Amino acid sequence: MTPTVSVEAVFSVGSNCGDRVDHVEKGLKWLSSVLFDCRCSHIYATPDCHGSCCEYMNAVVKGSTSLTPRELENMCKEYEISMGRDDSARKAGNVPVDIDLVVYDNRILRKKDFSSEFFIIGYSCI
């Protein structure tokens, strides 16, 4: 039997509509069911980085996984859709929940997110 290799993955979680704190908390809970040794930042507010919508509630999650980046990203997009992030929400600029894989196995996958305030605040806490 081949041993399972586990790597560290870091995600940003955000919401800009509805009960934003609840949406982020549910996203954190979902990620904690997907990752091992999960650690989460506190939930905090940041302005919309495009300046067009209300502020976001955000958090950053770090944990271990044996899944590939593609598998993780696909799972995140499926979760977002299940929470209401569909085409009509996107057109309206509503983000019930957004979960992005930012760092995987010490590789920065989303450089713009990695250097953004909404990520740095939470990343510095975990």
Side-chain angles (χ1 to χ4, degrees), residues 13 20-26 28 40-45 56-60 121-122:
V13 181
R20 297 167 298 149
V21 170
D22 184 60
H23 293 309
V24 172
E25 286 176 341
K26 286 178 179 171
L28 297 174
C40 305
S41 73
H42 61 286
I43 297 173
Y44 50 92
Y56 275 73
M57 298 307 292
N58 303 278
V60 173
I121 291 170

mmCIF file of all heavy atoms in Angstrom, residues 13 20-26 28 40-45 56-60 121-122:
data_model
loop_
_atom_site.group_PDB
_atom_site.id
_atom_site.type_symbol
_atom_site.label_atom_id
_atom_site.label_comp_id
_atom_site.label_asym_id
_atom_site.label_seq_id
_atom_site.Cartn_x
_atom_site.Cartn_y
_atom_site.Cartn_z
ATOM 1 N N VAL A 13 -11.310 32.746 2.687
ATOM 2 C CA VAL A 13 -12.762 32.574 2.718
ATOM 3 C C VAL A 13 -13.365 33.965 2.873
ATOM 4 O O VAL A 13 -12.918 34.745 3.727
ATOM 5 C CB VAL A 13 -13.199 31.681 3.902
ATOM 6 C CG1 VAL A 13 -14.711 31.490 3.910
ATOM 7 C CG2 VAL A 13 -12.484 30.341 3.871
ATOM 8 N N ARG A 20 -23.056 37.622 6.380
ATOM 9 C CA ARG A 20 -21.675 37.382 5.957
ATOM 10 C C ARG A 20 -20.888 36.569 6.968
ATOM 11 O O ARG A 20 -20.134 35.671 6.590
ATOM 12 C CB ARG A 20 -20.983 38.722 5.665
ATOM 13 C CG ARG A 20 -21.628 39.464 4.512
ATOM 14 C CD ARG A 20 -21.186 40.898 4.407
ATOM 15 N NE ARG A 20 -21.592 41.595 5.615
ATOM 16 C CZ ARG A 20 -20.942 42.611 6.163
ATOM 17 N NH1 ARG A 20 -19.857 43.080 5.602
ATOM 18 N NH2 ARG A 20 -21.381 43.177 7.258
ATOM 19 N N VAL A 21 -21.063 36.854 8.247
ATOM 20 C CA VAL A 21 -20.334 36.094 9.274
ATOM 21 C C VAL A 21 -20.769 34.638 9.240
ATOM 22 O O VAL A 21 -19.935 33.731 9.281
ATOM 23 C CB VAL A 21 -20.535 36.710 10.672
ATOM 24 C CG1 VAL A 21 -19.977 35.796 11.765
ATOM 25 C CG2 VAL A 21 -19.892 38.094 10.750
ATOM 26 N N ASP A 22 -22.065 34.398 9.142
ATOM 27 C CA ASP A 22 -22.570 33.026 9.091
ATOM 28 C C ASP A 22 -22.042 32.289 7.862
ATOM 29 O O ASP A 22 -21.648 31.123 7.951
ATOM 30 C CB ASP A 22 -24.100 33.027 9.085
ATOM 31 C CG ASP A 22 -24.675 31.622 9.125
ATOM 32 O OD1 ASP A 22 -24.385 30.890 10.105
ATOM 33 O OD2 ASP A 22 -25.403 31.247 8.181
ATOM 34 N N HIS A 23 -22.012 32.966 6.718
ATOM 35 C CA HIS A 23 -21.498 32.335 5.496
ATOM 36 C C HIS A 23 -20.029 31.945 5.663
ATOM 37 O O HIS A 23 -19.621 30.851 5.255
ATOM 38 C CB HIS A 23 -21.642 33.265 4.291
ATOM 39 C CG HIS A 23 -23.053 33.539 3.888
ATOM 40 N ND1 HIS A 23 -23.994 32.556 3.674
ATOM 41 C CD2 HIS A 23 -23.692 34.707 3.642
ATOM 42 C CE1 HIS A 23 -25.137 33.092 3.320
ATOM 43 N NE2 HIS A 23 -24.990 34.404 3.294
ATOM 44 N N VAL A 24 -19.232 32.836 6.261
ATOM 45 C CA VAL A 24 -17.816 32.527 6.476
ATOM 46 C C VAL A 24 -17.669 31.399 7.489
ATOM 47 O O VAL A 24 -16.882 30.469 7.280
ATOM 48 C CB VAL A 24 -17.025 33.786 6.895
ATOM 49 C CG1 VAL A 24 -15.608 33.424 7.311
ATOM 50 C CG2 VAL A 24 -16.996 34.802 5.753
ATOM 51 N N GLU A 25 -18.448 31.452 8.573
ATOM 52 C CA GLU A 25 -18.378 30.379 9.574
ATOM 53 C C GLU A 25 -18.715 29.023 8.956
ATOM 54 O O GLU A 25 -18.051 28.026 9.241
ATOM 55 C CB GLU A 25 -19.320 30.669 10.744
ATOM 56 C CG GLU A 25 -18.816 31.760 11.652
ATOM 57 C CD GLU A 25 -19.798 32.115 12.752
ATOM 58 O OE1 GLU A 25 -21.015 31.802 12.649
ATOM 59 O OE2 GLU A 25 -19.345 32.750 13.725
ATOM 60 N N LYS A 26 -19.733 28.975 8.111
ATOM 61 C CA LYS A 26 -20.101 27.715 7.453
ATOM 62 C C LYS A 26 -18.985 27.252 6.521
ATOM 63 O O LYS A 26 -18.699 26.060 6.436
ATOM 64 C CB LYS A 26 -21.414 27.871 6.696
ATOM 65 C CG LYS A 26 -22.612 27.913 7.610
ATOM 66 C CD LYS A 26 -23.901 28.114 6.846
ATOM 67 C CE LYS A 26 -25.076 28.126 7.821
ATOM 68 N NZ LYS A 26 -26.326 28.519 7.180
ATOM 69 N N LEU A 28 -15.802 27.884 6.914
ATOM 70 C CA LEU A 28 -14.731 27.388 7.785
ATOM 71 C C LEU A 28 -15.048 25.981 8.281
ATOM 72 O O LEU A 28 -14.172 25.110 8.304
ATOM 73 C CB LEU A 28 -14.530 28.329 8.978
ATOM 74 C CG LEU A 28 -14.077 29.746 8.664
ATOM 75 C CD1 LEU A 28 -14.055 30.591 9.932
ATOM 76 C CD2 LEU A 28 -12.734 29.757 7.970
ATOM 77 N N CYS A 40 -7.712 28.145 11.864
ATOM 78 C CA CYS A 40 -8.433 29.254 11.243
ATOM 79 C C CYS A 40 -8.076 30.568 11.925
ATOM 80 O O CYS A 40 -7.887 30.612 13.137
ATOM 81 C CB CYS A 40 -9.941 29.056 11.371
ATOM 82 S SG CYS A 40 -10.563 27.506 10.719
ATOM 83 N N SER A 41 -8.039 31.618 11.134
ATOM 84 C CA SER A 41 -7.903 32.956 11.699
ATOM 85 C C SER A 41 -9.248 33.365 12.291
ATOM 86 O O SER A 41 -10.246 32.658 12.141
ATOM 87 C CB SER A 41 -7.511 33.948 10.601
ATOM 88 O OG SER A 41 -8.608 34.204 9.737
ATOM 89 N N HIS A 42 -9.268 34.506 12.932
ATOM 90 C CA HIS A 42 -10.540 35.094 13.341
ATOM 91 C C HIS A 42 -11.252 35.603 12.079
ATOM 92 O O HIS A 42 -10.630 35.702 11.007
ATOM 93 C CB HIS A 42 -10.309 36.222 14.347
ATOM 94 C CG HIS A 42 -9.486 37.352 13.809
ATOM 95 N ND1 HIS A 42 -8.114 37.254 13.606
ATOM 96 C CD2 HIS A 42 -9.832 38.598 13.393
ATOM 97 C CE1 HIS A 42 -7.662 38.385 13.116
ATOM 98 N NE2 HIS A 42 -8.679 39.219 12.970
ATOM 99 N N ILE A 43 -12.512 35.928 12.198
ATOM 100 C CA ILE A 43 -13.265 36.508 11.085
ATOM 101 C C ILE A 43 -13.152 38.021 11.212
ATOM 102 O O ILE A 43 -13.312 38.578 12.293
ATOM 103 C CB ILE A 43 -14.728 36.039 11.116
ATOM 104 C CG1 ILE A 43 -14.797 34.517 10.935
ATOM 105 C CG2 ILE A 43 -15.546 36.753 10.042
ATOM 106 C CD1 ILE A 43 -16.178 33.927 11.112
ATOM 107 N N TYR A 44 -12.877 38.685 10.101
ATOM 108 C CA TYR A 44 -12.626 40.125 10.123
ATOM 109 C C TYR A 44 -13.191 40.768 8.855
ATOM 110 O O TYR A 44 -13.418 40.098 7.849
ATOM 111 C CB TYR A 44 -11.118 40.400 10.220
ATOM 112 C CG TYR A 44 -10.304 39.645 9.203
ATOM 113 C CD1 TYR A 44 -9.996 40.210 7.971
ATOM 114 C CD2 TYR A 44 -9.881 38.333 9.437
ATOM 115 C CE1 TYR A 44 -9.277 39.503 7.018
ATOM 116 C CE2 TYR A 44 -9.163 37.624 8.492
ATOM 117 C CZ TYR A 44 -8.867 38.213 7.280
ATOM 118 O OH TYR A 44 -8.164 37.505 6.339
ATOM 119 N N ALA A 45 -13.411 42.066 8.932
ATOM 120 C CA ALA A 45 -13.976 42.813 7.803
ATOM 121 C C ALA A 45 -12.880 43.529 7.028
ATOM 122 O O ALA A 45 -11.915 44.025 7.607
ATOM 123 C CB ALA A 45 -14.985 43.836 8.315
ATOM 124 N N TYR A 56 -16.435 43.042 2.900
ATOM 125 C CA TYR A 56 -16.410 41.584 3.021
ATOM 126 C C TYR A 56 -16.103 41.189 4.456
ATOM 127 O O TYR A 56 -15.384 41.890 5.164
ATOM 128 C CB TYR A 56 -15.284 41.002 2.153
ATOM 129 C CG TYR A 56 -15.641 40.780 0.712
ATOM 130 C CD1 TYR A 56 -15.774 41.852 -0.162
ATOM 131 C CD2 TYR A 56 -15.828 39.500 0.213
ATOM 132 C CE1 TYR A 56 -16.079 41.653 -1.503
ATOM 133 C CE2 TYR A 56 -16.124 39.290 -1.125
ATOM 134 C CZ TYR A 56 -16.255 40.372 -1.970
ATOM 135 O OH TYR A 56 -16.556 40.174 -3.291
ATOM 136 N N MET A 57 -16.599 40.041 4.838
ATOM 137 C CA MET A 57 -16.133 39.349 6.032
ATOM 138 C C MET A 57 -15.210 38.257 5.505
ATOM 139 O O MET A 57 -15.517 37.612 4.495
ATOM 140 C CB MET A 57 -17.289 38.759 6.835
ATOM 141 C CG MET A 57 -18.254 39.816 7.356
ATOM 142 S SD MET A 57 -17.488 41.165 8.290
ATOM 143 C CE MET A 57 -16.944 40.317 9.748
ATOM 144 N N ASN A 58 -14.069 38.082 6.162
ATOM 145 C CA ASN A 58 -13.037 37.182 5.670
ATOM 146 C C ASN A 58 -12.450 36.331 6.780
ATOM 147 O O ASN A 58 -12.540 36.676 7.961
ATOM 148 C CB ASN A 58 -11.858 37.985 5.080
ATOM 149 C CG ASN A 58 -12.271 38.916 3.998
ATOM 150 O OD1 ASN A 58 -12.429 38.507 2.868
ATOM 151 N ND2 ASN A 58 -12.449 40.180 4.331
ATOM 152 N N ALA A 59 -11.774 35.280 6.369
ATOM 153 C CA ALA A 59 -10.962 34.448 7.260
ATOM 154 C C ALA A 59 -9.965 33.696 6.384
ATOM 155 O O ALA A 59 -10.131 33.611 5.163
ATOM 156 C CB ALA A 59 -11.820 33.468 8.051
ATOM 157 N N VAL A 60 -8.934 33.188 7.024
ATOM 158 C CA VAL A 60 -7.937 32.367 6.342
ATOM 159 C C VAL A 60 -7.841 31.045 7.087
ATOM 160 O O VAL A 60 -7.880 31.011 8.325
ATOM 161 C CB VAL A 60 -6.566 33.077 6.285
ATOM 162 C CG1 VAL A 60 -5.492 32.160 5.727
ATOM 163 C CG2 VAL A 60 -6.661 34.348 5.450
ATOM 164 N N ILE A 121 -4.124 39.823 6.506
ATOM 165 C CA ILE A 121 -4.627 39.967 7.878
ATOM 166 C C ILE A 121 -4.820 38.600 8.521
ATOM 167 O O ILE A 121 -4.351 38.342 9.624
ATOM 168 C CB ILE A 121 -5.952 40.769 7.901
ATOM 169 C CG1 ILE A 121 -5.689 42.221 7.522
ATOM 170 C CG2 ILE A 121 -6.608 40.679 9.279
ATOM 171 C CD1 ILE A 121 -6.949 43.023 7.277
ATOM 172 N N GLY A 122 -5.522 37.711 7.838
ATOM 173 C CA GLY A 122 -5.780 36.383 8.405
ATOM 174 C C GLY A 122 -4.578 35.473 8.402
ATOM 175 O O GLY A 122 -4.351 34.726 9.357
#
